Amino acid sequence: MALQEYAKLPVFVDQAYLTQLTSVEITGESGQVAVDLLNEGLGGFTPGSGRTRVRIGFAVPIGGQEINVWNRMAKGAIVQFQVGVGAEGYSGKGKIMSVSISQSTNASVEGTCEWEGELATLK
């Protein structure tokens, strides 16, 4: 049995590599809309606008956030997200839709960030 190395999902925000991540999730939505016919059922699909969502979890060091996602969200700034997926990767522009920062008793400060942007192929 051979040993296998598995890919990690590196994340770059505005070309800055994030090192304080605790979780990463990337979701693509095709935007395709099903067309239902009254008598026949599913008749096909019609194109719609697709999108990509990236959700990251991160630790907050005592010196502050690695990148200030809160300020980028509050300003409505266009932000570029890049996520490596094995030998390929996603790159697109969009906006940070939500940020949550929290702490539980005897735990580190942590946060989540949800970004939404353009649908693009992995390259």
Side-chain angles (χ1 to χ4, degrees):
M1 183 160 133
L3 291 177
Q4 176 69 43
E5 287 192 40
Y6 290 92
K8 294 184 180 181
L9 295 174
V11 176
F12 295 82
V13 174
D14 290 334
Q15 300 179 352
Y17 176 61
L18 302 184
T19 61
Q20 302 292 328
L21 294 180
T22 58
S23 64
V24 179
E25 178 183 0
I26 181 169
T27 306
E29 295 178 14
S30 70
Q32 299 292 316
V33 178
V35 177
D36 290 316
L37 304 174
L38 291 176
N39 294 329
E40 290 85 15
L42 180 62
F45 297 89
T46 185
S49 58
R51 66 193 62 198
T52 300
R53 289 191 173 95
V54 178
R55 180 182 170 100
I56 58 172
F58 55 92
V60 180
I62 198 164
Q65 299 176 67
E66 188 170 24
I67 59 161
N68 197 327
V69 291
W70 190 283
N71 285 359
R72 284 176 167 84
M73 176 196 62
K75 293 177 181 177
I78 293 177
V79 178
Q80 181 177 15
F81 258 70
Q82 295 171 272
V83 180
V85 182
E88 301 178 313
Y90 167 82
S91 179
K93 293 183 179 178
K95 294 197 174 195
I96 295 174
M97 304 305 284
S98 67
V99 176
S100 174
I101 298 174
S102 63
Q103 181 182 21
S104 299
T105 304
N106 295 327
S108 300
V109 176
E110 57 188 16
T112 59
C113 169
E114 293 184 4
W115 174 91
E116 189 171 316
E118 58 196 347
L119 180 63
T121 59
L122 298 178
K123 297 179 185 176

